Amino acid sequence: MRRQREKELKAMKGILNRAIELGAVGAKFVEPQNVITATWVRLKCQYGCGGYGKRLTCPPYSPSPDVTRKMIDEYRHILLIHCKAWTDVRKLVAELEQEAFYAGFYKAFGMGAGPCYLCDECALEKGCRYPDIARPSMEACGIDVYATARLAGFPIEVVPPEGGDENYYGLLLID
Ligand code: SF4
């Protein structure tokens, strides 16, 4: 049992380091209860984002806040990944998810930031063309990214139209 735990901790550390190698500026494991989900996040997508309903990774196709809450609570380890604008968070989490899966974390699932732009036009009717690498953003799944990042001690502020310090976040759920 102890050996198993040590092996798991080593693998988790490897995944965290790999997130940095892939372009994250920071990453830390957080408790499931410290990933904050809320109903209002969904409504901000619906009544505030021009991308609503345009990508299969976005609402109304992505998991509701309630489903996300239940899902998060089914995991023991959650890696919160901090990126800057130069890193493609969706690509990073998809790659990390695959590596974690092959490291034995068979429940591995990644969430990125922003809409999926893998295709010029999303295959809304036919189904996703790249289901292995298309991942929903944290906000598309009803996660309050601001509260979650701040709780973990990471920086995040509303960026005004004239610009400011941009911070992006992704999640990797593993077990
Ligand atoms: S990979 Fe293409 S089809 Fe799939 S969600 Fe992204 S844009 Fe849509």
Side-chain angles (χ1 to χ4, degrees), residues 54-58 90 115-124 127-131 133-135:
K54 295 200 174 128
R55 304 275 153 176
L56 288 166
T57 51
C58 286
R90 182 212 49 77
C116 176
Y117 285 120
L118 280 166
C119 314
D120 290 339
E121 194 139 334
C122 189
L124 292 177
C128 184
R129 295 184 189 96
Y130 304 105
I133 53 172
R135 288 294 173 269

Side-chain angles (χ1 to χ4, degrees), residues 19-97:
I20 306 294
E21 273 174 25
L22 290 170
V25 291
K28 65 172 77 163
F29 281 98
V30 298
E31 295 295 321
Q33 68 267 25
N34 290 340
V35 178
I36 311 299
T37 51
T39 308
W40 67 262
V41 182
R42 190 78 166 189
L43 294 181
K44 287 292 275 183
C45 284
Q46 192 168 354
Y47 301 105
C49 180
Y52 181 80
K54 295 200 174 128
R55 304 275 153 176
L56 288 166
T57 51
C58 286
Y61 309 105
S62 53
S64 69
D66 287 350
V67 169
T68 302
R69 178 77 266 148
K70 283 185 190 150
M71 182 196 177
I72 287 170
D73 292 339
E74 289 172 356
Y75 286 79
R76 287 178 302 145
H77 313 300
I78 298 175
L79 186 65
L80 180 62
I81 303 157
H82 177 205
C83 296
K84 288 295 195 179
W86 57 79
T87 298
D88 181 339
V89 188
R90 182 212 49 77
K91 189 165 179 271
L92 187 155
V93 297
E95 210 165 320
L96 209 55
E97 176 194 304

Side-chain angles (χ1 to χ4, degrees), residues 24-26 80-87 89 112-114 138-139 145-146 149-150 153-160 163-170:
V25 291
L80 180 62
I81 303 157
H82 177 205
C83 296
K84 288 295 195 179
W86 57 79
T87 298
V89 188
M138 291 171 66
E139 60 273 23
V145 181
Y146 288 89
R150 285 173 184 166
F154 281 130
I156 186 165
E157 294 297 336
V158 172
V159 179
D165 185 26
E166 294 181 15
N167 294 282
Y168 299 88
Y169 292 89

